Amino acid sequence: MNLLNVTQKFATEDAAWDYLVRTRWPEGVRCLACDHDKCYQIATRGKTNKPIRLFECGECKLHFSATTGTLFHDSHLPLTKWFMAMALMAEAKKGVSALQVSRHIGVAYKTAWHLCHRIRKAMEELNSEPLGGQGKVIEIDETFLGGKKLGKGVKAAKDAKIRVLGIAERNGRVHLQRIKDGKAGALRVIFESKIDPTTKAVVTDGAPVFASIFNPAKHHAFKHEEDFAERGELTAKTVEGAFSLFKRGVIGSYHHLSEDHVDSYLQEFCWRFNRRKLQPFMFQTLLRELTQKKPLTYKKLTRETF
Ligand SMILES: [Zn+2]
């Protein structure tokens, strides 16, 4: 579903709420405290006469809403606006900034900023399956973002930038993450958790650190300066393609990438990239993840970063 479908299908708050309830509890509403399956919808009104949709548990009498304990928790924003922002973020190949979201859905920048961070939280892939496996090729590369320090030499400039490691399954999923330095110890830990040990081959740019980590029989090196055609099988085009798409997004949408939030932007990018072949279902997938992850308050977001 793209933005247009979402806006049409969920034109009213009621339509959006019904869909949220069905997504959170596909087999019927269950009590959040005692898991009882007899829960009744009760209609009540808030201070401004705004309807509040609550459930009451038939057993323990708990009152709860479909958004209680999810990433939607305590949001005063209409669900129709949430859904529009989610469609924008699930759809935008190169990412979308909080400013763009604020303009599209008609809310203040600060509201859009918090909204985008909560949606991004739903996109974190904490326990994803390792990449690679039998018969598969893994590509590894590094790139640097931002922080130009002129006149201090290439090495100083590189040190000042944000260093990003990319691991990709050829023509498949990617994992991008920020790393402090390119030392073997830290890299080894990442590779152990992210790469399936039965992987057929690993392709890197041949830096000595990679040669020291991988079994020489499985490790192949390419040269950055050679064309893809010359490299043949020794290509790293999946990981390089992901890097360039991410960078175009940073330049086109975010302009300035806050260093504090680089990790969550990388996660957002990977979430979308890894589902690029599942485009029609991305909105539904994202909604499910928003209902399954714990709340993220504005206070928590800003406390962690400032
Ligand atoms: Zn109950």
Side-chain angles (χ1 to χ4, degrees):
M1 269 196 285
N2 59 27
L3 180 62
L4 185 65
N5 306 138
V6 167
T7 316
Q8 286 170 343
K9 197 170 169 194
F10 308 110
T12 65
E13 235 3 53
D14 279 334
W17 271 94
D18 289 345
Y19 193 67
L20 176 71
V21 171
R22 284 204 306 277
T23 304
R24 184 168 189 188
W25 295 288
E27 280 143 37
V29 180
R30 298 188 85 99
C31 173
L32 298 180
C34 72
D35 203 34
H36 196 68
D37 62 357
K38 294 282 182 294
C39 297
Y40 308 96
Q41 198 160 351
I42 51 170
T44 150
R45 290 191 178 267
K47 280 182 201 149
T48 54
N49 211 27
K50 198 177 109 187
I52 302 176
R53 297 160 182 82
L54 289 177
F55 292 103
E56 184 181 86
C57 172
E59 184 71 23
C60 74
K61 307 296 175 199
L62 177 81
H63 285 185
F64 60 95
S65 123
T67 58
T68 307
T70 70
L71 280 167
F72 292 100
H73 194 67
D74 265 352
S75 168
H76 299 292
L77 213 58
L79 268 188
T80 46
K81 296 214 186 257
W82 266 92
F83 278 23
M84 282 161 74
M86 285 154 54
L88 281 167
M89 287 178 75
E91 223 184 312
K93 245 178 133 184
K94 290 182 281 178
V96 55
S97 69
L99 190 64
Q100 288 167 312
V101 169
S102 87
R103 284 179 187 150
H104 269 286
I105 72 171
V107 298
Y109 174 76
K110 195 175 158 183
T111 308
W113 184 86
H114 186 202
L115 181 64
C116 291
H117 271 288
R118 281 184 287 178
I119 296 173
R120 210 165 274 131
K121 185 82 187 163
M123 293 172 158
E124 280 181 5
E125 302 194 90
L126 299 175
N127 301 310
S128 56
E129 295 272 299
L131 301 170
Q134 278 184 3
K136 292 193 175 155
V137 176
I138 286 287
E139 305 169 359
I140 295 170
D141 204 4
E142 275 186 355
T143 195
F144 298 89
L145 303 170
K148 271 183 202 155
K149 279 198 175 172
L150 296 171
K152 289 193 173 181
V154 177
K155 194 175 178 298
K158 275 191 169 184
D159 287 343
K161 289 177 177 184
I162 299 165
R163 192 173 191 137
V164 176
L165 172 74
I167 307 172
E169 207 173 82
R170 182 166 295 164
N171 301 319
R173 293 179 300 141
V174 298
H175 170 76
L176 309 186
Q177 79 173 78
R178 183 158 58 140
I179 50 169
K180 257 172 103 179
D181 53 52
K183 292 197 178 129
L187 289 178
R188 204 185 297 270
V189 173
I190 299 170
F191 296 151
E192 273 172 12
S193 76
K194 296 292 171 193
I195 304 175
D196 186 317
T198 64
T199 296
K200 185 177 97 180
V202 177
V203 179
T204 73
D205 62 4
V209 66
F210 297 128
S212 75
I213 294 175
F214 295 107
N215 174 348
K218 278 192 179 185
H219 182 217
H220 308 280
F222 65 84
K223 289 198 181 74
H224 274 293
E225 57 273 21
E226 283 175 356
D227 287 338
F228 283 139
E230 288 172 49
R231 290 191 202 162
E233 271 299 288
L234 296 179
T235 166
K237 64 181 175 205
T238 307
V239 70
E240 286 173 329
F243 280 157
S244 90
L245 195 58
F246 180 76
K247 286 181 179 177
R248 289 209 301 273
V250 170
I251 296 162
S253 305
Y254 305 115
H255 304 293
H256 170 72
L257 193 61
S258 154
E259 217 181 309
D260 300 317
H261 295 294
V262 170
D263 295 320
S264 69
Y265 289 113
L266 287 168
Q267 295 256 11
E268 175 196 346
F269 175 84
C270 292
W271 185 92
R272 225 175 7 241
F273 189 90
N274 293 344
R275 286 162 185 75
R276 61 199 183 280
K277 291 165 190 161
L278 304 168
Q279 183 61 45
F281 311 104
M282 277 162 80
F283 177 82
Q284 286 90 333
T285 310
L286 184 56
L287 180 61
R288 201 172 316 119
E289 290 178 12
L290 274 152
T291 64
Q292 286 167 359
K293 285 185 179 147
K294 295 278 169 274
L296 182 67
T297 60
Y298 188 81
K299 212 171 149 189
K300 189 171 176 229
L301 252 176
T302 45
R303 192 177 56 227
E304 280 173 359
T305 52
F306 297 118

